Amino acid sequence: VVVEVGEDDVLHLARFDAMRELVVKVANAIGTAWLRLDLLPASAQQRLRPEFRNYVDERIAVYRSIPDLAAARLHIDRAAAMQNRIWSQAVSACRDAGSPATTSLVISSFNDMIDITTTRTVALQTHPPAIIFMLLFGVALASSLLAGYGNAAKPRSWIHILGFAAVLAITAYIILDLEYPRIGVIRLDAVDQLLAQLRQTMN
């Protein structure tokens, strides 16, 4: 049995790598924004730092709540509300600071944080259309039928039958697992630890 890596497999691997890179970018963007709070007045820092901690807690909760999509959406909404409050407070604090350099550094880092977390949220909720997965299983079924028809006149070999079925099943499972890397064997837990480690530095 010859197993070839198709275009769909390559695309799913690329999507998995992109999701992993996005988690790293989210952690880096939040970490940079957290550090640049030092540029703001002490009174503003006292208001913003607890908000930041709660915000990161909600972001971590989003990933940990999957595959419970209802709980994940709840945490996403909470994080978005906190994000808006943090932005408003940061803009107000920059006005009070009265320093163009501080404003540029702080606002740019906060803007990057919002952009990348929004991108991450969209990527988390975006998957190929259902027709793609239906086509995948349709191709597997058609391949099985053709293989069975082609070998109908030959003596039945259970090794080849079971081997062929196993290859198809494993290939389909891996493709699905790459698309949903927080449910099956392939996971992003190690990368998610970056956010957890970042949260620990905020204590």
Side-chain angles (χ1 to χ4, degrees):
V1 177
V2 178
V3 180
E4 295 182 357
V5 178
E7 185 177 352
D8 287 344
D9 302 314
V10 175
L11 290 175
H12 280 81
L13 285 171
R15 281 175 57 81
F16 178 79
D17 288 338
M19 286 187 286
R20 183 168 52 189
E21 290 175 7
L22 272 176
V23 176
V24 175
K25 289 180 179 178
V26 167
N28 289 339
I30 294 175
T32 299
W34 170 262
L35 292 175
R36 291 188 181 177
L37 289 177
D38 293 338
L39 301 174
L40 297 176
S43 58
Q45 293 185 40
Q46 292 175 356
R47 295 192 304 270
L48 280 166
R49 291 193 185 279
E51 290 278 5
F52 247 86
R53 295 186 185 99
N54 293 335
Y55 174 70
V56 175
D57 287 338
E58 286 298 327
R59 282 292 168 191
I60 294 173
V62 169
Y63 304 138
R64 289 181 176 174
S65 60
I66 296 172
D68 187 342
L69 297 181
R73 290 192 182 97
L74 177 62
H75 289 298
I76 288 172
D77 292 340
R78 288 178 179 174
M82 291 179 182
Q83 193 170 258
N84 291 334
R85 289 199 301 270
I86 290 172
W87 174 261
S88 298
Q89 292 179 27
V91 171
S92 177
C94 287
R95 289 198 190 102
D96 295 339
S99 170
T102 296
T103 299
S104 177
L105 289 171
V106 172
I107 295 302
S108 64
S109 64
F110 277 53
N111 186 65
D112 290 342
M113 179 186 75
I114 292 173
D115 286 347
I116 194 62
T117 51
T118 301
T119 301
R120 180 71 188 100
T121 299
V122 172
L124 189 66
Q125 298 174 321
T126 303
H127 299 287
I131 188 64
I132 299 298
F133 297 109
M134 293 173 63
L135 181 62
L136 172 65
F137 287 108
V139 170
L141 179 59
S143 299
S144 300
L145 291 173
L146 290 173
Y149 180 78
N151 291 279
K154 300 177 182 179
R156 183 175 297 176
S157 172
W158 286 106
I159 293 178
H160 288 88
I161 292 173
L162 294 177
F164 185 78
V167 168
L168 286 179
I170 292 172
T171 301
Y173 175 80
I174 292 299
I175 290 175
L176 289 172
D177 209 15
L178 281 170
E179 186 60 37
Y180 300 93
R182 299 177 185 279
I183 299 176
V185 177
I186 301 172
R187 305 184 68 86
L188 286 172
D189 294 349
V191 183
D192 290 342
Q193 280 299 111
L194 291 174
L195 276 179
Q197 292 169 3
L198 173 63
R199 178 60 180 85
Q200 290 176 358
T201 65
M202 294 179 175
N203 294 327

